[in-house]
Amino acid sequence: MISPLRIPVAALEKTGRLGFGLRNAAYVFFAHVLYISELAYKTVVRAPLLFKNVSLSIEQMYIIGLESLGLVAVTSVFVGGEAVVQATYQFSGYVTLRYLGMVVCKALITELCPVITALVVSSRISTAIAAEIGSMKATEQLDAMACLSLDPIRYLIVPKTIACVCMMPVLVIFSELVAFTASIITALLFTDVSLTTYLLSLRMFFFPKDLFIGVAKTMVFGMVIAMTGAHFGFQSTKGAEGVGEATTKAVMTAAVLILVFDFVIAFLVL
Amino acid sequence: MDIQDALRPRPPDQRPAHSNNKTKLKIEHLRKHFGAVLVLDDVNLDVKSGEIMCVIGQSGHGKSVILKHIMGLMIPDGGRIALDGATYSTPTSKPVDFEEPRRKLGMLFQGAALFDSKNVGENIAFPLREHTDLSENEIRDVVAEGLEMVGLQGIEEKMPSELSGGMRSRVGLARAISMKPEVMLYDEPTSALDPIMGDKINDLILDLRRKLGMTSIVVTHDMSSAYKIADHIAMIYQGRIIYAGTPGEIRASRDPYVQQFIRGQRKLHYAVEDEKVYEAPVDINKLRPAYRPGQHRG
Ligand SMILES: Nc1ncnc2c1ncn2[C@@H]1O[C@H](COP(=O)(O)OP(=O)(O)OP(=O)(O)O)[C@@H](O)[C@H]1O
Ligand SMILES: [Mg+2]
């Protein structure tokens, strides 16, 4: 029989293991972040070369922008609607619904639309980038590029990064338009606020700075999406399994980094 | 191409002596392991300018790995590689060290490695567009000419996914030779091809040497094409070059491993009737057991 004294010891041991596990996970995460920063640096350095092959970036903008449009539209409808429902519930009994529009507007333009759009786009695009680069690695296409003195960062990563950085603000503005429309419809259908009251309150305390920061930070998120996808694609091991793993890691890391950057930007700018 | 012409055997003595005895590419004591598996143990290879060197050896014994080291796609664990007398690949090489030699080198990958997102024409035009000053019209001509050389005229608009394995391999070849490298590495150029097309590619390799003085290293399993094109044949066995010689010499060799391979036998036949004749250049059994290659292969 196990002596009861061993139970706390065993518990401590388990916690210790968990601690080491967490520590290792943290090391791995920071190692990846370092590599991603290095890749970002290399990409930024090569960005001016973009003007020699603009068509590559334009092609990527089409792909990244158009492919994400439907997804962003659908999520934005629910984000806008949900914001109204949630605000109404939180207000009920305390705050008059005259301020409903103001709260919804602030929430949408500063946080909800930029962050949720970035997360949704990252689930679509950083995985796509990781899978594309990973399968190019598996089929030796990256080696072939090296043999032909074609720099993969310049020809593959720079166009994708530029496209992500340019398309994210566009997507987020689109998302905000859809979300506002959805919020207006929801407010009219499910709350007792009239259209004029709601529209007036939307404009209450509206600062262009909020909108600007909300849109501008998505450029950082676009960079994060492209870089994590590229990094895990380059890192992937041979074969289909490696590609699958790369896409999972890419989307996980992108999500974490988007939230981290969101916090840092809020901390610095606000 | 006329089938009769393709099938007609060519006497080996008609082979022009292009080699001017100047060493083009020199590999010394190349060593590489992946994890616990020692793939290349001690590879030494001396390729003369303008010569066609065939590398033969069993599957999984490191032929592709040698080519990848020459291209600078892998960093060796030991040894060095020199092109035109200038050493560029050592265990301490950085990626920039390979930029210069890569301009002189071209490689056909075993799986062709075509860019899937580009069509055939774009695949071939991509490096030309980036590295040469040719106009779009000239590039189109070079692409058409390259495809013609490998017997695939008029497929510029096709995507790589629409091609068969042998067609992909030939497009890869057209892409590599369109840059006119000084040294061309072929990783099994004919293994995915039918005999007639294989012979056309063999002729192409000979032609490139005749017209451009191109030095070639051809990895192949196909002994008939090796005999046809090679000036020298090197055999790799368990991470070492165990024999290098002219096709005639290799055919006459008494080395059991060489004989086993070139005759396609499953069993080793030692030359027992005269024990002095058989001296394996490398005694595999004397390798340190910890580094014994090939153990991990199924
Ligand atoms: N990137 C790599 N990582 C780990 N092991 C590798 C790698 N590349 C090659 N190997 C190992 O090196 C050995 C030699 O591989 P290589 O591709 O050179 O064989 P090969 O002689 O070209 O065979 P084949 O004729 O089938 O093409 C194999 O055992 C393979 O498992
Ligand atoms: Mg091979």
Side-chain angles (χ1 to χ4, degrees), chain A residues 140 143 238, chain B residues 32-35 37-40 55-68 74 110 187-188 219-221 236 294 296-298:
Chain A
E140 296 183 323
D143 286 347
K238 264 198 156 149
Chain B
K32 178 77 179 177
H33 55 75
F34 296 105
V37 187
L38 185 70
V39 173
L40 299 182
V55 179
I56 59 173
Q58 287 172 39
S59 186
H61 280 223
K63 302 182 299 296
S64 301
V65 172
I66 295 181
L67 296 192
K68 285 182 186 164
M74 291 177 176
Q110 199 165 356
D187 201 344
E188 302 189 9
V219 165
T220 184
H221 293 299
I236 181 168
H296 300 259
R297 301 187 194 110

Side-chain angles (χ1 to χ4, degrees), chain B residues 183-202:
Chain B
V183 180
M184 187 60 207
L185 315 177
Y186 303 83
D187 201 344
E188 302 189 9
T190 54
S191 61
L193 304 180
D194 60 274
I196 299 168
M197 200 36 85
D199 200 60
K200 185 174 168 111
I201 298 302
N202 287 337

Side-chain angles (χ1 to χ4, degrees), chain A residues 161-236:
Chain A
T161 311
I162 300 280
C164 280
V165 170
C166 295
M167 290 320 282
M168 274 308 292
V170 177
L171 285 172
V172 88
I173 289 171
F174 171 73
S175 152
E176 279 165 10
L177 290 176
V178 175
F180 274 121
T181 316
S183 82
I184 293 170
I185 294 170
T186 320
L188 290 184
L189 289 183
F190 301 109
T191 66
D192 306 332
V193 191
S194 72
L195 182 61
T196 29
T197 326
Y198 188 73
L199 289 184
L200 268 179
S201 68
L202 271 183
R203 280 189 259 162
M204 220 185 277
F205 300 112
F206 172 80
F207 301 122
K209 183 187 157 204
D210 291 348
L211 179 65
F212 177 75
I213 292 172
V215 172
K217 72 183 174 188
T218 59
M219 297 173 89
V220 179
F221 300 160
M223 186 83 188
V224 168
I225 290 170
M227 290 297 104
T228 45
H231 166 69
F232 286 102
F234 280 132
Q235 276 250 319
S236 72

